[in-house]
Amino acid sequence: MDLIKVFNTRNPVIGVLHLLPLPTSPRWQGDLQSVVDRAEQEATALASGGVHGIIVENFFDAPFTKGAVDPAVVSAMGLVVQRLQTLVTVPIGINVLRNDARSALAIATCTGAAFIRVNVLTGVMATDQGLIEGCAHDLLRYRKELGSSVQILADVLVKHARPLGSPNLTTAVQETIHRGLADGIILSGWATGSPPNLEDLELAKAAAGDRPVFIGSGADVDNIGTLMKAADGVIVASSLKRQGDVNQPIDPIRVGQFVEAMQESLEALEGNLNLPTMVAPKG
Protein backbone atom coordinates (compact mmCIF):
# COMPACT_ATOMS: atom_id res chain seq x y z
CA MET A 1 0.00 0.00 0.00
CA ASP A 2 1.47 3.32 -1.10
CA LEU A 3 0.54 5.70 1.73
CA ILE A 4 1.67 8.79 -0.15
CA LYS A 5 -0.43 7.82 -3.16
CA VAL A 6 -3.54 7.13 -1.05
CA PHE A 7 -3.23 9.72 1.73
CA ASN A 8 -0.65 12.19 0.38
CA THR A 9 1.56 11.57 3.42
CA ARG A 10 3.85 8.85 4.74
CA ASN A 11 2.19 8.95 8.18
CA PRO A 12 -1.59 9.38 7.90
CA VAL A 13 -4.04 10.20 10.64
CA ILE A 14 -7.34 8.47 9.82
CA GLY A 15 -10.28 9.80 11.81
CA VAL A 16 -13.21 7.48 12.50
CA LEU A 17 -16.76 8.64 11.76
CA HIS A 18 -19.27 6.64 13.80
CA LEU A 19 -22.65 6.70 12.09
CA LEU A 20 -25.77 7.06 14.19
CA PRO A 21 -27.89 3.86 14.32
CA LEU A 22 -28.96 2.72 10.86
CA PRO A 23 -32.16 1.00 9.65
CA THR A 24 -32.81 -2.40 11.32
CA SER A 25 -30.52 -1.47 14.25
CA PRO A 26 -32.16 -1.79 17.71
CA ARG A 27 -31.53 1.94 18.29
CA TRP A 28 -32.63 3.11 14.84
CA GLN A 29 -34.68 6.31 15.23
CA GLY A 30 -36.44 6.14 11.85
CA ASP A 31 -34.84 9.28 10.41
CA LEU A 32 -32.06 8.70 7.88
CA GLN A 33 -31.66 12.43 7.24
CA SER A 34 -30.49 12.93 10.82
CA VAL A 35 -27.85 10.24 10.23
CA VAL A 36 -26.69 12.04 7.09
CA ASP A 37 -26.66 15.45 8.80
CA ARG A 38 -24.57 14.19 11.72
CA ALA A 39 -22.16 12.42 9.35
CA GLU A 40 -21.69 15.59 7.31
CA GLN A 41 -20.97 17.63 10.45
CA GLU A 42 -18.43 15.13 11.73
CA ALA A 43 -16.72 14.66 8.37
CA THR A 44 -16.32 18.43 8.11
CA ALA A 45 -14.90 18.58 11.65
CA LEU A 46 -12.41 15.81 10.87
CA ALA A 47 -11.29 17.25 7.54
CA SER A 48 -10.98 20.82 8.83
CA GLY A 49 -8.97 19.51 11.78
CA GLY A 50 -6.35 18.11 9.42
CA VAL A 51 -6.90 14.36 9.23
CA HIS A 52 -5.56 12.64 6.12
CA GLY A 53 -8.42 10.16 5.80
CA ILE A 54 -11.81 9.24 7.25
CA ILE A 55 -13.20 5.79 7.91
CA VAL A 56 -16.98 5.40 8.16
CA GLU A 57 -18.35 2.76 10.55
CA ASN A 58 -21.81 1.58 11.58
CA PHE A 59 -20.52 1.71 15.16
CA PHE A 60 -23.84 2.44 16.84
CA ASP A 61 -25.58 -0.55 15.24
CA ALA A 62 -24.56 -2.79 18.15
CA PRO A 63 -25.20 -5.58 18.85
CA PHE A 64 -23.52 -6.62 15.63
CA THR A 65 -24.01 -9.66 13.46
CA LYS A 66 -21.04 -11.89 12.73
CA GLY A 67 -22.28 -12.35 9.16
CA ALA A 68 -23.72 -10.14 6.45
CA VAL A 69 -25.59 -7.00 7.50
CA ASP A 70 -29.10 -6.22 6.28
CA PRO A 71 -29.27 -4.72 2.75
CA ALA A 72 -30.79 -1.57 4.29
CA VAL A 73 -27.53 -0.98 6.17
CA VAL A 74 -25.53 -1.32 2.95
CA SER A 75 -27.86 1.09 1.17
CA ALA A 76 -27.74 3.64 3.98
CA MET A 77 -23.95 3.51 4.28
CA GLY A 78 -23.57 3.85 0.53
CA LEU A 79 -25.80 6.91 0.52
CA VAL A 80 -23.89 8.53 3.39
CA VAL A 81 -20.49 7.86 1.86
CA GLN A 82 -21.59 9.25 -1.49
CA ARG A 83 -22.73 12.45 0.24
CA LEU A 84 -19.43 12.74 2.12
CA GLN A 85 -17.46 12.30 -1.11
CA THR A 86 -18.97 15.58 -2.34
CA LEU A 87 -18.22 17.35 0.94
CA VAL A 88 -14.60 16.49 1.79
CA THR A 89 -11.53 15.82 -0.31
CA VAL A 90 -9.68 13.41 1.97
CA PRO A 91 -9.88 9.70 1.09
CA ILE A 92 -12.69 7.76 2.71
CA GLY A 93 -12.73 4.18 3.96
CA ILE A 94 -15.47 1.78 5.06
CA ASN A 95 -15.82 -0.65 7.97
CA VAL A 96 -19.04 -2.67 8.10
CA LEU A 97 -19.20 -4.20 11.57
CA ARG A 98 -18.68 -6.75 12.75
CA ASN A 99 -16.95 -8.32 9.78
CA ASP A 100 -19.01 -7.83 6.61
CA ALA A 101 -16.00 -7.13 4.43
CA ARG A 102 -17.84 -8.07 1.25
CA SER A 103 -20.42 -5.32 1.81
CA ALA A 104 -17.69 -2.87 2.76
CA LEU A 105 -15.85 -3.63 -0.47
CA ALA A 106 -19.04 -3.25 -2.51
CA ILE A 107 -19.81 0.14 -0.93
CA ALA A 108 -16.24 1.34 -1.37
CA THR A 109 -16.02 0.23 -4.98
CA CYS A 110 -19.36 1.76 -5.99
CA THR A 111 -18.75 5.08 -4.22
CA GLY A 112 -15.10 5.48 -5.13
CA ALA A 113 -13.86 5.10 -1.55
CA ALA A 114 -10.18 4.28 -1.14
CA PHE A 115 -9.97 1.52 1.46
CA ILE A 116 -11.80 -0.79 3.83
CA ARG A 117 -11.07 -2.12 7.30
CA VAL A 118 -11.53 -5.84 7.91
CA ASN A 119 -11.58 -7.04 11.51
CA VAL A 120 -10.94 -10.73 10.77
CA LEU A 121 -9.29 -11.36 7.42
CA THR A 122 -7.54 -14.59 8.41
CA GLY A 123 -7.77 -17.02 11.30
CA VAL A 124 -10.65 -17.62 13.71
CA MET A 125 -11.57 -15.24 16.54
CA ALA A 126 -13.89 -15.81 19.49
CA THR A 127 -15.99 -12.66 19.88
CA ASP A 128 -19.18 -11.51 21.57
CA GLN A 129 -20.89 -12.31 18.24
CA GLY A 130 -19.59 -15.89 18.34
CA LEU A 131 -16.79 -17.43 16.30
CA ILE A 132 -15.80 -15.27 13.33
CA GLU A 133 -13.77 -16.91 10.56
CA GLY A 134 -11.42 -15.11 8.23
CA CYS A 135 -12.89 -14.01 4.91
CA ALA A 136 -9.77 -13.60 2.78
CA HIS A 137 -10.66 -16.33 0.28
CA ASP A 138 -14.00 -14.76 -0.59
CA LEU A 139 -12.96 -11.12 -0.28
CA LEU A 140 -9.90 -11.19 -2.51
CA ARG A 141 -11.78 -13.04 -5.23
CA TYR A 142 -14.65 -10.58 -4.98
CA ARG A 143 -12.23 -7.66 -5.34
CA LYS A 144 -10.82 -9.31 -8.46
CA GLU A 145 -14.33 -9.92 -9.82
CA LEU A 146 -15.27 -6.27 -9.30
CA GLY A 147 -12.05 -5.04 -10.90
CA SER A 148 -11.61 -2.96 -7.76
CA SER A 149 -8.48 -1.18 -6.53
CA VAL A 150 -9.86 -0.60 -3.02
CA GLN A 151 -7.12 -1.25 -0.45
CA ILE A 152 -7.63 -3.71 2.40
CA LEU A 153 -6.47 -2.78 5.91
CA ALA A 154 -6.74 -5.84 8.13
CA ASP A 155 -6.71 -6.13 11.90
CA VAL A 156 -4.37 -8.66 13.45
CA LEU A 157 -5.69 -10.23 16.67
CA VAL A 158 -8.50 -7.67 16.61
CA LYS A 159 -9.86 -5.95 19.75
CA HIS A 160 -12.91 -7.32 21.56
CA ALA A 161 -11.87 -10.82 20.54
CA ARG A 162 -9.60 -13.72 21.39
CA PRO A 163 -7.91 -16.02 18.90
CA LEU A 164 -8.96 -19.65 18.69
CA GLY A 165 -5.67 -21.11 19.74
CA SER A 166 -2.59 -19.08 20.65
CA PRO A 167 -0.97 -17.73 17.49
CA ASN A 168 2.29 -15.87 17.72
CA LEU A 169 1.85 -12.18 16.82
CA THR A 170 4.66 -12.31 14.29
CA THR A 171 3.13 -15.34 12.60
CA ALA A 172 -0.33 -13.75 12.63
CA VAL A 173 1.00 -10.61 10.89
CA GLN A 174 2.91 -12.61 8.30
CA GLU A 175 -0.05 -14.85 7.51
CA THR A 176 -2.42 -11.88 7.23
CA ILE A 177 -0.07 -10.34 4.67
CA HIS A 178 1.24 -13.34 2.76
CA ARG A 179 -1.75 -15.68 2.94
CA GLY A 180 -4.55 -13.12 3.40
CA LEU A 181 -2.98 -10.60 0.98
CA ALA A 182 -3.74 -7.58 3.19
CA ASP A 183 -2.47 -4.24 1.89
CA GLY A 184 -1.87 -2.94 5.40
CA ILE A 185 -1.99 -4.11 9.01
CA ILE A 186 -3.89 -2.70 12.01
CA LEU A 187 -2.87 -3.44 15.59
CA SER A 188 -5.18 -2.48 18.46
CA GLY A 189 -5.35 -2.87 22.20
CA TRP A 190 -7.78 -5.26 23.88
CA ALA A 191 -10.82 -2.97 23.48
CA THR A 192 -12.07 0.32 22.03
CA GLY A 193 -10.01 3.14 23.55
CA SER A 194 -7.21 0.79 24.63
CA PRO A 195 -3.84 1.26 22.87
CA PRO A 196 -1.53 -1.52 21.74
CA ASN A 197 1.76 -1.67 23.61
CA LEU A 198 4.97 -0.51 21.96
CA GLU A 199 6.56 -3.96 22.09
CA ASP A 200 3.71 -5.49 20.09
CA LEU A 201 3.86 -2.66 17.57
CA GLU A 202 7.58 -3.27 17.14
CA LEU A 203 6.97 -6.97 16.53
CA ALA A 204 4.21 -6.21 14.04
CA LYS A 205 6.33 -3.65 12.22
CA ALA A 206 9.24 -6.06 11.92
CA ALA A 207 6.96 -8.81 10.61
CA ALA A 208 5.06 -6.58 8.17
CA GLY A 209 8.01 -5.86 5.91
CA ASP A 210 7.04 -3.19 3.38
CA ARG A 211 3.34 -3.18 4.39
CA PRO A 212 2.24 -0.27 6.59
CA VAL A 213 1.26 -0.82 10.21
CA PHE A 214 -1.53 1.30 11.73
CA ILE A 215 -2.33 1.91 15.38
CA GLY A 216 -5.96 0.81 15.58
CA SER A 217 -7.18 2.06 18.96
CA GLY A 218 -6.30 4.04 22.06
CA ALA A 219 -4.09 6.74 20.53
CA ASP A 220 -4.27 10.19 22.14
CA VAL A 221 -2.21 13.36 22.39
CA ASP A 222 -0.23 11.95 25.30
CA ASN A 223 0.84 8.59 23.88
CA ILE A 224 1.02 9.19 20.12
CA GLY A 225 4.69 10.18 20.29
CA THR A 226 5.59 6.83 21.85
CA LEU A 227 3.32 4.69 19.66
CA MET A 228 4.55 6.24 16.41
CA LYS A 229 8.05 4.95 17.11
CA ALA A 230 6.86 1.65 15.63
CA ALA A 231 3.94 2.53 13.35
CA ASP A 232 3.29 4.16 9.99
CA GLY A 233 -0.10 5.68 10.72
CA VAL A 234 -2.97 5.83 13.16
CA ILE A 235 -6.74 5.23 13.15
CA VAL A 236 -8.28 7.32 15.91
CA ALA A 237 -11.81 7.73 17.26
CA SER A 238 -12.42 8.11 21.00
CA SER A 239 -9.84 10.79 21.71
CA LEU A 240 -11.32 13.02 18.97
CA LYS A 241 -14.74 13.03 20.64
CA ARG A 242 -15.97 15.57 23.19
CA GLN A 243 -14.33 14.80 26.54
CA GLY A 244 -12.79 11.73 24.92
CA ASP A 245 -16.14 9.93 25.20
CA VAL A 246 -16.78 7.56 22.28
CA ASN A 247 -20.53 8.20 22.52
CA GLN A 248 -20.14 11.96 21.97
CA PRO A 249 -19.79 13.86 18.65
CA ILE A 250 -16.45 14.76 17.11
CA ASP A 251 -14.80 17.79 18.73
CA PRO A 252 -12.96 19.83 16.02
CA ILE A 253 -10.65 21.35 18.64
CA ARG A 254 -9.54 17.91 19.81
CA VAL A 255 -9.01 16.85 16.18
CA GLY A 256 -6.67 19.79 15.61
CA GLN A 257 -4.82 19.09 18.85
CA PHE A 258 -4.31 15.44 17.95
CA VAL A 259 -3.06 16.17 14.44
CA GLU A 260 -0.66 18.77 15.86
CA ALA A 261 0.61 16.31 18.48
CA MET A 262 1.10 13.71 15.75
CA GLN A 263 3.10 16.15 13.63
CA GLU A 264 5.25 17.19 16.58
CA SER A 265 5.97 13.57 17.43
CA LEU A 266 7.00 12.80 13.85
CA GLU A 267 9.30 15.83 13.76
CA ALA A 268 10.86 14.74 17.05
CA LEU A 269 11.38 11.19 15.79
CA GLU A 270 12.91 12.47 12.56
CA GLY A 271 15.20 14.76 14.51
CA ASN A 272 16.39 11.87 16.65
CA LEU A 273 17.11 9.80 13.56
CA ASN A 274 19.18 12.62 12.08
CA LEU A 275 21.32 13.18 15.19
CA PRO A 276 25.05 12.75 14.42
CA THR A 277 26.69 9.65 15.83
CA MET A 278 28.92 10.50 18.79
CA VAL A 279 32.41 9.00 18.58
CA ALA A 280 34.30 8.55 21.78
CA PRO A 281 37.69 10.37 21.75
CA LYS A 282 40.79 8.19 21.58
CA GLY A 283 43.18 7.97 24.46
Side-chain angles (χ1 to χ4, degrees), residues 1-2 20 22 32 40 43 48 59 83 101 118 126 138 145 162 168 172 182 185 202 205 207-208 213 224 262:
M1 183 178 192
D2 188 334
L20 292 177
L22 298 175
L32 188 58
E40 290 179 339
S48 62
F59 180 81
R83 292 285 292 271
V118 182
D138 175 68
E145 181 182 350
R162 294 291 181 269
N168 176 277
I185 291 298
E202 289 172 339
K205 183 62 179 169
V213 174
I224 190 61
M262 172 78 159

Side-chain angles (χ1 to χ4, degrees), residues 5 25 30 50 60 63-64 66 82 94 99 104 115 135 153 158 170-171 188 190-191 208 225 239 255 276 283:
K5 182 178 179 181
S25 163
F60 290 114
F64 306 115
K66 70 175 183 178
Q82 189 173 37
I94 317 290
N99 202 55
F115 63 99
C135 59
L153 301 183
V158 67
T170 296
T171 301
S188 301
W190 65 274
S239 66
V255 177

Side-chain angles (χ1 to χ4, degrees), residues 19 32 35-36 39 56 75-85:
L19 296 175
L32 188 58
V35 177
V36 174
V56 178
S75 298
M77 291 187 73
L79 173 64
V80 171
V81 172
Q82 189 173 37
R83 292 285 292 271
L84 299 185
Q85 294 278 33

Side-chain angles (χ1 to χ4, degrees), residues 24-180:
T24 72
S25 163
R27 292 178 286 184
W28 162 241
Q29 295 298 304
D31 182 7
L32 188 58
Q33 187 58 51
S34 65
V35 177
V36 174
D37 291 344
R38 167 76 167 262
E40 290 179 339
Q41 293 167 4
E42 298 210 331
T44 301
L46 288 168
S48 62
V51 302
H52 307 102
I54 295 172
I55 186 163
V56 178
E57 292 185 352
N58 58 325
F59 180 81
F60 290 114
D61 280 357
F64 306 115
T65 175
K66 70 175 183 178
V69 299
D70 190 89
V73 174
V74 179
S75 298
M77 291 187 73
L79 173 64
V80 171
V81 172
Q82 189 173 37
R83 292 285 292 271
L84 299 185
Q85 294 278 33
T86 67
L87 189 65
V88 299
T89 58
V90 297
I92 292 177
I94 317 290
N95 187 16
V96 181
L97 298 167
R98 175 70 151 120
N99 202 55
D100 192 353
R102 188 179 180 94
S103 290
L105 182 63
I107 295 168
T109 301
C110 291
T111 61
F115 63 99
I116 63 172
R117 180 176 185 171
V118 182
N119 288 171
V120 185
L121 184 67
T122 60
V124 182
M125 301 295 288
T127 75
D128 54 309
Q129 294 82 34
L131 294 179
I132 298 181
E133 298 183 13
C135 59
H137 174 275
D138 175 68
L139 184 64
L140 271 294
R141 282 161 176 78
Y142 190 44
R143 183 168 71 169
K144 183 72 172 180
E145 181 182 350
L146 291 175
S148 175
S149 60
V150 170
Q151 299 287 282
I152 298 170
L153 301 183
D155 284 273
V156 173
L157 305 182
V158 67
K159 58 189 176 182
H160 298 288
R162 294 291 181 269
L164 198 63
S166 302
N168 176 277
L169 176 59
T170 296
T171 301
V173 171
Q174 292 173 339
E175 290 193 344
T176 301
I177 291 172
H178 300 299
R179 295 170 68 84

